Amino acid sequence: MGRALLLVDLQNDFCEGGSMGVEGGAAVAARAAERVLGDRPNHEFTDHEYEAIALTADWHHDPGSHWATEGAPDFVTSWPVHCAADTAGADFHASFQPVLDRVDEVFRKGAHEAAYSGFEGFAVRDGRTGLADWLRQRGITDLDVGGIATDHCVRATVLDALQEGFAVRLLVDTIAGVAPGTTAAALSEMTAAGARATGPGS
């Protein structure tokens, strides 16, 4: 059994001040960095908890109707322009930047589509390897998942992880959602599907 840390979309556009900023997003990025430092101080496979650390990232070139470029977004299937490839909004938050060198791989998603789940992404290193295959190649069976936003990309990533057969611990102190109602519904859906909430308040 191997455990990996999977952090979802810790990007500027999803944190306060971004085009789709989520309240608490910056704090989530900071807590994610603390978790990386606490569990993997030397980037070597020793006695730390995680055998791999991976990030997902929205990386949109032309995602079609996912971006509301004409008219107002409905915030269900269309959204403000966000995480455009090679822009500051797509960069990882400043609180997480200092630990990027401790991350094993980044999986970019949504170049030409919506792509909420990290399991729709491909490794930056080769542009071909999907997240599920990458994890299995490293003997990963269990995932700790955190990130932004609880009710959208975290939800989709967790549900896909469970569907792929991974055991999931949801890091409730390292997530932030868009709205209270949809966040609560997403938490209920994820735990009902088999994810185990862990952390303060769980």
Side-chain angles (χ1 to χ4, degrees):
M1 183 181 76
R3 181 175 296 278
L5 176 63
L6 178 59
L7 298 167
V8 178
D9 300 0
L10 303 174
Q11 295 165 275
N12 288 327
D13 272 345
F14 298 133
C15 296
E16 293 87 343
S19 65
M20 287 176 54
V22 172
E23 184 178 352
V28 164
R31 283 195 292 273
E34 291 170 358
R35 179 168 289 270
V36 170
L37 287 171
D39 285 301
R40 197 168 187 186
N42 300 311
H43 198 51
E44 296 293 338
F45 295 162
T46 54
D47 295 327
H48 57 72
E49 184 174 4
Y50 299 119
E51 295 186 33
I53 299 174
L55 305 180
T56 74
D58 264 17
W59 194 257
H60 297 309
H61 290 279
D62 180 13
S65 61
H66 184 61
W67 277 353
T69 54
E70 298 180 10
D74 62 18
F75 295 97
V76 178
T77 61
S78 63
W79 306 87
V81 174
H82 61 279
C83 296
D86 297 311
T87 66
D91 287 343
F92 293 108
H93 191 270
S95 295
F96 196 81
Q97 289 280 347
V99 300
L100 275 175
D101 63 338
R102 300 175 184 271
V103 171
D104 294 296
E105 187 57 272
V106 176
F107 291 83
R108 288 176 175 167
K109 55 190 173 70
H112 301 286
E113 57 191 353
Y116 294 93
S117 171
F119 286 85
E120 298 176 77
F122 295 94
V124 168
R125 200 158 299 171
D126 63 16
R128 299 186 306 274
T129 303
L131 177 56
D133 286 342
W134 186 87
L135 292 167
R136 291 191 182 105
Q137 287 166 8
R138 285 153 182 78
I140 301 301
T141 57
D142 294 57
L143 297 175
D144 282 5
V145 181
I148 311 166
T150 309
D151 37 351
H152 295 285
C153 292
V154 170
R155 170 191 169 274
T157 299
V158 165
L159 294 178
D160 278 357
L162 293 166
Q163 186 66 34
E164 290 285 349
F166 297 100
V168 176
R169 291 194 310 197
L170 182 63
L171 306 174
V172 297
D173 64 341
T174 314
I175 53 175
V178 173
T182 52
T183 295
L187 289 169
S188 295
E189 184 179 8
M190 287 185 282
T191 54
R196 183 166 68 88
T198 182
S202 63

